[in-house]
Structure formats: C-alpha cells, structure tokens
Amino acid sequence: MPSDLSTTSAQIRYDLKAGRAWVAVFEASTGTAVLEYRTPRGSLRAERPRLVLWRPGAPAHILADLDLATTERSI
C-alpha cells in the first residue's frame, strides 16, 4: 500500500465503494493491530460489510467489530 496518507485514504475509499475486502496491519510500540474490511464477496467473507479491528494472539483479541449494514457496534 502507498505510504502517502492521502493516496492511501483515496485507495481505501475506492475499495469500500467497490465492495473489495482488504486487510491493513499496523505496528506500534504497544504491539500489532489488524483492521479487516469483510464483504459478501472476496476472500474475507461476511454476510454484510463489516470492519473488524483485532490484535493477534492465541486467541485473537477483538478490539472493535462494526457491522456497516446495520451500524451495530461491539467495542
């Protein structure tokens, strides 16, 4: 993914509008976090579009789960 924030934001908006699934991994001093955009199509499947933010581990720790179709939130 491009390192320029405006270019990255534009690519994410384009993918969201197109319904493409994607994964972004963030590294910070507090550890790693993963943001997934899941869709009914593609490799990250969900019945309805949703964003899931989680930390890797055994088991994975869900930080936020947002159903974009109904705006139900689990944070």
Side-chain angles (χ1 to χ4, degrees):
M1 202 165 213
S3 60
D4 175 278
L5 184 57
S6 63
T7 303
T8 301
S9 298
Q11 183 64 51
I12 290 171
R13 283 193 304 275
Y14 178 82
D15 287 344
L16 290 173
K17 287 179 183 178
R20 292 189 181 107
W22 51 262
V23 174
V25 178
F26 302 95
E27 295 288 337
S29 60
T30 57
T32 302
V34 179
L35 179 63
E36 294 179 354
Y37 175 58
R38 300 176 183 178
T39 65
R41 305 180 301 205
S43 58
L44 297 172
R45 292 192 180 261
E47 286 184 28
R48 296 185 302 269
R50 66 187 318 109
L51 284 172
V52 181
L53 179 65
W54 56 278
R55 287 190 183 266
H61 179 72
I62 303 293
L63 302 171
D65 188 345
L66 177 64
D67 184 333
L68 300 176
T70 63
T71 64
E72 292 177 15
R73 295 178 187 156
S74 170
I75 298 176

